[in-house]
Amino acid sequence: MRLRMNYNIRYERDLSHNYMVVGLGDIDTGDYRYKMLEAQKTKGLMACSLRNINSDSFLYYEADGLRSIADRFASKKMNYSQLMDFFTDLEKTCIDMAEYLLEEDSLVMTMDTVMVDLARGSFRFMCLPGDNREDIETFAMELTDIVDHNDEKAVNTAYEFCMLVEENGYNLSVIARMMRDKMAQSLETVSQVEGQQPVEHIADRSAVQATPSPDFYEDFDEKEEEDTSSKGKSKDNDMKSYYIFSILSIIIGLLGIAIRYRYPLTPRQNIISLSIIGVTFTMGIAALIYASHKRKTLEMQEIDDNIRSEISHVKKRKEAEKKNSALTNKNEYRKKKRRSKSYEDDDFDIDEEIGNGFGRACEKGESSAFGPGNLAFAKSDEKAFGAAAPSVLMPNLQMFASRKADTYAHASAPKDPGTTVLSDSPVKEQGRLYSRGLNNCIQISTDKLPLTIGKMEGCVDFVIPHKTISRIHARLFRENGNMFLIDLGSTNGTYHNGCRLQAQKPVRIVPGDEVRFSDIVFDYR
């Protein structure tokens, strides 16, 4: 379980609202900064109010619909786009704070106080009058842990942020602006390479979200796009020719009717004119019907092609992600295997050779065969490890020889099975949560912990699609072999054996306990 910060913070629920409460102690709350903090209406700062209870002062920060970035990105890590949104919101918040005469050093930058609005995806910050500069370096290091390590750009950006924070002479607004400008330039470079329009202003969140992700179209072939566009133009030209032919045919038929009524015709001319009028009208109407039918067919075909292309893009992206993850896991496995193999080569091969030789010597009764005075051993050791080998390895070899001698000396002695003493370490509890009273039983396995529970798909490990469950509701985790349950500030609460849990206060659960998320009851067994 991650340790909480040193600030005097607790979580409270008053009627239908969640609050983060900060105790101020004997601090003078008459300072103008507290008045400005209550009056501010900026989107980036958490709204708060100052309350006096029993001669003590407290700041109540509204936390409805908010989760800390530690809880939000516990299951699905922060990607490059979300990191860019973070720096954009941080810069804008620092600029807005100046309007209320609040210093940006008063931002409390910790994993528990930087919040995410789950409905909008924007970031919110806690302002506490005073100098909180010492939190920023720790926050920057912890930020590298919650970014997606499969996203190389996000990892590099997080470490760049750490380096800027460590340097003196920069403030948060300058750092955020530098990071935001650099990320915007990289996006413009990628979009220009792939033929997309560059992002002109990164602060416009809607414009950034409307721009297609470059990674999504990384496998798209520009030649295919040109071919499809040329085909579409040729089809449009064909459709126009059909419409023009039908209109001309109808016009010719109308001209034939006008000539019949205007000029007297012989019987032969009359037959010819009637046949021309009938043929032209028939051809015109037939061409018009065929063109409309073909247009509908082409529209349906275009829709099908778009769907197929989208599905192919998604499949390619998923295959690329699987290949990248498999390659990463393979490289890590090779590194671990290489490291363990080097340890085995350094330690166990020597022990095995010496042990075999020493065993043969003990069987012959030559206990001093591998002693420090044995010339043959010294020469072989010097040959294998260099001139300095006897002075370095001899004490360890003597210790090894004494262990082997004790082993062979007691090999013929009868073995005493003795008594095995059980350790006092807690028993590792594994089980499942089974829902009660539902038509379809919900089972939550506790084999893989930590496990975040909620209804926001993509942000939690286990989704309960129920309207009374919060987006990020609660978490199960293991510590020292025991399993704990913690409420993450849910709206309708988390209960353990009938008692509602206080937010961010873990409680141990054991088999036989009753756990309730909102109005859904589970039995742990």
Side-chain angles (χ1 to χ4, degrees):
M1 176 63 184
R2 179 172 43 84
L3 295 177
R4 293 287 164 183
M5 54 203 168
N6 295 326
Y7 294 96
N8 185 16
I9 289 183
R10 71 176 187 271
Y11 294 82
E12 283 190 6
R13 181 166 181 81
D14 183 9
L15 297 177
S16 60
H17 297 286
N18 291 320
Y19 295 97
M20 294 176 64
V21 184
V22 179
L24 301 177
D26 56 353
I27 296 179
D28 181 18
T29 56
D31 193 334
Y32 77 94
R33 292 177 295 182
Y34 290 97
K35 304 299 181 184
M36 290 293 185
L37 186 59
E38 283 187 291
Q40 61 85 22
K41 300 295 182 183
T42 61
K43 295 181 179 179
L45 290 179
M46 298 175 64
C48 74
S49 59
L50 182 64
R51 302 183 186 182
N52 295 317
I53 303 173
N54 296 331
S55 70
D56 291 330
S57 299
F58 300 91
L59 279 174
Y60 276 69
Y61 294 88
E62 297 180 9
D64 293 333
L66 304 180
R67 292 292 185 276
S68 66
I69 59 174
D71 293 332
R72 165 62 180 83
F73 299 107
S75 298
K76 188 175 182 181
K77 301 298 183 180
M78 181 185 289
N79 57 30
Y80 185 76
S81 176
Q82 292 166 334
L83 196 60
M84 183 169 57
D85 292 341
F86 166 74
F87 289 119
T88 302
D89 291 344
L90 178 59
E91 181 195 10
K92 192 174 186 306
T93 301
C94 292
I95 295 173
D96 293 341
M97 289 173 64
E99 297 181 3
Y100 293 91
L101 304 178
L102 296 171
E103 302 88 352
E104 60 187 47
D105 286 344
S106 60
L107 289 178
V108 184
M109 302 295 293
T110 67
M111 290 288 109
D112 301 286
T113 55
V114 178
M115 313 296 285
V116 181
D117 190 331
L118 298 179
R120 298 175 178 84
S122 58
F123 292 84
R124 305 284 291 276
F125 302 89
M126 174 185 287
C127 178
L128 183 63
D131 187 5
N132 302 306
R133 177 72 183 176
E134 66 275 4
D135 298 327
I136 302 174
E137 293 186 6
T138 304
F139 172 80
M141 292 301 298
E142 292 177 345
L143 187 65
T144 60
D145 296 331
I146 66 171
V147 296
D148 187 0
H149 286 259
N150 294 324
D151 190 342
E152 185 177 353
K153 293 193 296 182
V155 174
N156 293 336
T157 303
Y159 280 106
E160 236 178 280
F161 176 59
C162 289
M163 288 188 289
L164 285 178
V165 167
E166 289 177 358
E167 296 177 3
N168 296 324
Y170 292 99
N171 53 28
L172 274 177
S173 59
V174 174
I175 294 174
R177 184 170 63 253
M178 292 173 64
M179 297 300 300
R180 188 257 300 166
D181 291 342
K182 188 166 185 179
M183 296 172 81
Q185 289 175 2
S186 66
L187 280 182
E188 289 178 1
T189 303
V190 172
S191 60
Q192 289 174 1
V193 169
E194 299 193 1
Q196 298 174 2
Q197 294 182 353
V199 181
E200 295 182 356
H201 200 286
I202 200 69
D204 189 359
R205 178 74 56 81
S206 61
V208 176
Q209 291 179 348
T211 304
S213 174
D215 295 336
F216 184 80
Y217 297 98
E218 59 187 357
D219 296 326
F220 191 78
D221 194 352
E222 293 181 358
K223 294 182 180 179
E224 294 180 1
E225 185 178 1
E226 293 176 359
D227 294 339
T228 53
S229 62
S230 62
K231 290 179 182 178
K233 289 180 180 178
S234 63
K235 292 178 181 177
D236 290 338
N237 293 331
D238 293 339
M239 297 297 298
K240 289 179 181 178
S241 63
Y242 280 117
Y243 282 115
I244 291 172
F245 177 77
S246 63
I247 292 171
L248 289 176
S249 300
I250 293 173
I251 290 173
I252 292 172
L254 293 174
L255 287 174
I257 294 173
I259 290 172
R260 279 178 57 81
Y261 283 100
R262 188 174 183 85
Y263 300 101
L265 300 176
T266 62
R268 186 177 180 181
Q269 291 175 344
N270 192 16
I271 294 172
I272 294 173
S273 65
L274 287 174
S275 60
I276 292 174
I277 291 171
V279 170
T280 53
F281 268 110
T282 303
M283 292 178 63
I285 294 172
L288 186 62
I289 294 172
Y290 179 76
S292 61
H293 177 71
K294 191 171 183 180
R295 185 180 186 85
K296 291 181 180 179
T297 305
L298 291 176
E299 288 177 354
M300 295 299 295
Q301 186 178 359
E302 185 178 359
I303 292 172
D304 292 340
D305 292 339
N306 291 334
I307 293 173
R308 289 194 191 96
S309 62
E310 292 293 335
I311 293 173
S312 64
H313 291 325
V314 172
K315 286 183 178 179
K316 288 180 181 180
R317 182 175 178 82
K318 288 183 177 180
E319 289 176 0
E321 290 177 353
K322 288 181 180 178
K323 289 180 181 178
N324 291 335
S325 61
L327 184 60
T328 304
N329 295 333
K330 189 175 182 180
N331 291 335
E332 291 179 356
Y333 174 76
R334 285 179 177 176
K335 289 180 182 179
K336 291 180 180 179
K337 189 175 181 181
R338 205 177 296 125
R339 199 177 295 119
S340 62
K341 186 176 181 181
S342 63
Y343 292 152
E344 291 173 3
D345 293 341
D346 293 341
D347 298 334
F348 299 107
D349 290 346
I350 298 173
D351 292 348
E352 184 178 358
E353 292 179 4
I354 297 173
N356 293 335
F358 186 78
R360 291 192 295 269
C362 289
E363 290 175 359
K364 297 178 181 179
E366 300 173 0
S367 60
S368 61
F370 283 79
N374 190 299
L375 183 61
F377 175 79
K379 287 182 178 179
S380 63
D381 190 53
E382 182 176 355
K383 183 178 179 180
F385 301 101
S391 61
V392 176
L393 296 177
M394 203 55 69
N396 293 332
L397 295 176
Q398 288 178 2
M399 185 185 302
F400 178 81
S402 63
R403 285 204 309 269
K404 289 288 184 178
D406 293 338
T407 302
Y408 282 101
H410 296 285
S412 60
K415 295 182 179 180
D416 183 11
T419 303
T420 303
V421 180
L422 295 175
S423 61
D424 294 333
S425 60
V427 179
K428 187 175 182 180
E429 299 167 355
Q430 288 187 353
R432 288 175 178 266
L433 290 171
Y434 296 89
S435 65
R436 188 201 310 165
L438 297 179
N439 295 330
N440 297 324
C441 180
I442 301 175
Q443 298 183 22
I444 303 177
S445 175
T446 60
D447 295 338
K448 296 181 180 180
L449 298 179
L451 183 76
T452 306
I453 300 169
K455 69 178 178 182
M456 192 174 185
E457 189 172 357
C459 297
V460 296
D461 299 310
F462 190 89
V463 178
I464 302 179
H466 197 271
K467 60 183 180 181
T468 61
I469 299 293
S470 296
R471 294 181 178 91
I472 300 178
H473 196 102
R475 180 178 295 121
L476 292 166
F477 65 94
R478 197 179 301 281
E479 186 176 315
N480 297 327
N482 298 318
M483 196 164 74
F484 289 86
L485 172 67
I486 185 171
D487 180 77
L488 301 178
S490 61
T491 301
N492 295 311
T494 303
Y495 297 81
H496 173 245
N497 292 334
C499 298
R500 181 165 182 164
L501 301 183
Q502 187 177 351
Q504 303 295 342
K505 293 291 184 182
V507 62
R508 180 174 178 241
I509 64 173
V510 296
D513 286 353
E514 178 189 278
V515 175
R516 180 155 63 94
F517 304 114
S518 180
D519 56 351
I520 302 178
V521 182
F522 290 84
D523 292 320
Y524 177 52
R525 57 180 185 269

